[in-house]
Amino acid sequence: MSEAPEVLAVENLTKHFPVRTGILGRTVGHVRAADGVSFRIRRGETLGIVGESGSGKSTVGKAVLRLFDVTAGTIRLHGTDITHLTGRALREMRQRMQMVFQDPYASLNPRLSAGDIIMEPLENFTPLTRTERRERAAGLLDRVGLRRDALGRYPHEFSGGQRQRLGVARALAVNPSLIVADEPVSALDVSVQAQVLNLLIRLQRELDLAYLFISHDLAVVEHISHRVGVMYLGKIVEIADKSTLFESPRHPYTEALLAAVPTPDPTLKRERVILSGDIPSPSHPPSGCRFHTRCPYAEARCRSEVPALRQVAPGHDVACHLRGVSSLGSGTAGDPRRPASRG
């Protein structure tokens, strides 16, 4: 069976934000929000991106959508290089990629009705008449689990979960092939999160969508993703299919993240991986491996040489000098729902 066609290809994506000071706005440094990020997403696939706050995952999502210019690297959508597109050319490509935002209220215009919110992108990108746009908006409300008579209601009249469904309907309005979902359920009650996640999964199956799903919640990422990339200080340190990454993490940072996940079973014991210190500033990242200041296995080489992201198994890439060739235990954390043991 042939592989699904590639929707998004990101190569060496880099985004440095200048740090300015004084009346003249003199540049005194840069925040290295994303530093050489590479990944690919195929049709019908979800790539989850996880990491601590400040790891650069949201910057990657916004860069993919070309919400700002990138410092270096290449972004290809359906094989077309969109890295430096401007004007009409960029506008045409933006119809094929949409975003679901974190805050389901702040991302909706409170002065527009639900119907107008969905019809706005249709007005911008399609030649449909208002009657046709309204009928499509009603159909999209049906598709995301809202009633058609909600077309005339305003955002404040919806619950949080309903508002996020409305945001999803807006994203679907122009038939995109790629959706970037940036923490789309983090502002919702836990009971509602699963409903929205299952909606996204169903829509992906029906419409063959590609998702770039950004979250700090490992349980959420495990539920929805096919592959998972772990980011630390602007770099992807490990990327693999979901089951491999959760059962056999190879990077020490991934192990620490999985070990920190609470377990609902009080009788379940597993070894904790304690990280020392705080995450360094992205404006002054450490030399060599950026994780070496907190890594329990760091050696002299880690402090001076930047580890390349290389394949350690089919579909499993790790950026670690010690784990890149031979594992120190092939996953000391393992599945957060099962006991872990040292290899």
Side-chain angles (χ1 to χ4, degrees):
M1 184 176 179
S2 60
E3 289 187 326
E6 191 172 85
V7 174
L8 179 69
V10 175
E11 297 289 345
N12 196 36
L13 176 64
T14 302
K15 179 59 182 179
H16 296 171
F17 293 98
V19 177
R20 296 187 171 92
T21 187
I23 298 176
L24 300 178
R26 183 168 58 92
T27 299
V28 296
H30 290 85
V31 175
R32 300 172 181 268
D35 225 353
V37 174
S38 300
F39 57 83
R40 297 170 184 270
I41 307 177
R42 296 188 177 276
R43 182 176 295 172
E45 181 184 39
T46 300
L47 174 65
I49 299 291
V50 298
E52 295 173 277
S53 296
S55 63
K57 53 189 186 295
S58 291
T59 298
V60 169
K62 292 174 182 176
V64 164
L65 293 170
R66 285 296 320 280
L67 297 183
F68 43 63
D69 292 332
V70 300
T71 305
T74 304
I75 305 167
R76 295 184 182 274
L77 186 65
H78 294 289
T80 300
D81 189 345
I82 66 170
T83 316
H84 303 293
L85 289 184
T86 58
R88 179 174 294 181
L90 178 58
R91 176 184 171 85
E92 290 175 357
M93 294 304 293
R94 278 203 169 129
Q95 183 174 347
R96 308 176 75 176
M97 49 184 183
Q98 293 292 305
M99 187 168 191
V100 177
F101 297 89
Q102 176 176 358
D103 190 332
Y105 188 74
S107 61
L108 303 175
N109 189 334
R111 298 188 177 188
L112 295 182
S113 65
D116 288 334
I117 286 171
I118 299 175
M119 290 189 289
E120 189 173 30
L122 292 172
E123 185 176 356
N124 291 334
F125 288 106
T126 69
L128 299 177
T129 64
R130 179 167 179 81
T131 300
E132 292 170 332
R133 294 197 299 269
R134 188 171 183 83
E135 182 58 30
R136 175 154 175 78
L140 286 167
L141 287 180
D142 279 340
R143 173 153 260 171
V144 300
L146 295 175
R147 296 168 57 92
R148 284 181 171 234
D149 59 15
L151 281 173
R153 293 165 58 187
Y154 288 82
H156 71 272
E157 299 179 76
F158 294 95
S159 67
Q162 290 173 329
R163 285 196 288 264
Q164 196 60 292
R165 289 173 184 267
L166 179 56
V168 172
R170 177 181 59 186
L172 295 176
V174 290
N175 294 318
S177 55
L178 170 70
I179 290 182
V180 176
D182 188 2
E183 301 273 11
V185 298
S186 63
L188 305 178
D189 293 338
V190 174
S191 60
V192 180
Q193 287 184 8
Q195 297 174 19
V196 174
L197 291 174
N198 290 334
L199 169 66
L200 291 172
I201 292 171
R202 176 174 62 80
L203 291 172
Q204 183 177 57
R205 291 171 179 165
E206 293 174 355
L207 303 175
D208 216 12
L209 296 167
Y211 291 154
L212 176 60
F213 191 93
I214 298 165
S215 179
H216 66 276
D217 191 323
L218 288 166
V220 167
V221 169
E222 183 182 18
H223 182 70
I224 196 172
S225 301
H226 297 98
R227 291 188 299 123
V228 180
V230 180
M231 286 193 69
Y232 184 80
L233 270 186
K235 289 183 175 291
I236 288 183
V237 297
E238 184 167 7
I239 187 167
D241 66 87
K242 173 177 62 179
S243 59
T244 298
L245 187 129
F246 277 84
E247 293 173 7
S248 303
R250 296 288 290 270
H251 196 281
Y253 178 60
T254 309
E255 294 174 357
L257 288 180
L258 292 175
V261 176
T263 174
D265 185 353
T267 65
L268 191 64
K269 304 295 183 182
R270 72 170 184 270
E271 188 173 352
R272 293 288 184 181
V273 179
I274 306 298
L275 298 181
S276 60
D278 297 321
I279 185 170
S281 169
S283 58
H284 297 93
S287 59
C289 174
R290 296 188 175 182
F291 186 61
H292 83 260
T293 59
R294 305 172 72 193
C295 180
Y297 311 114
E299 297 180 351
R301 180 185 180 188
C302 304
R303 299 179 178 88
S304 58
E305 297 180 29
V306 178
L309 187 68
R310 51 188 171 180
Q311 189 176 83
V312 296
H316 191 172
D317 296 345
V318 179
C320 180
H321 293 307
L322 306 177
R323 302 288 178 84
V325 178
S326 61
S327 172
L328 291 180
S330 189
T332 62
D335 191 325
R337 297 161 299 186
R338 299 199 299 268
S341 59
R342 291 282 180 185

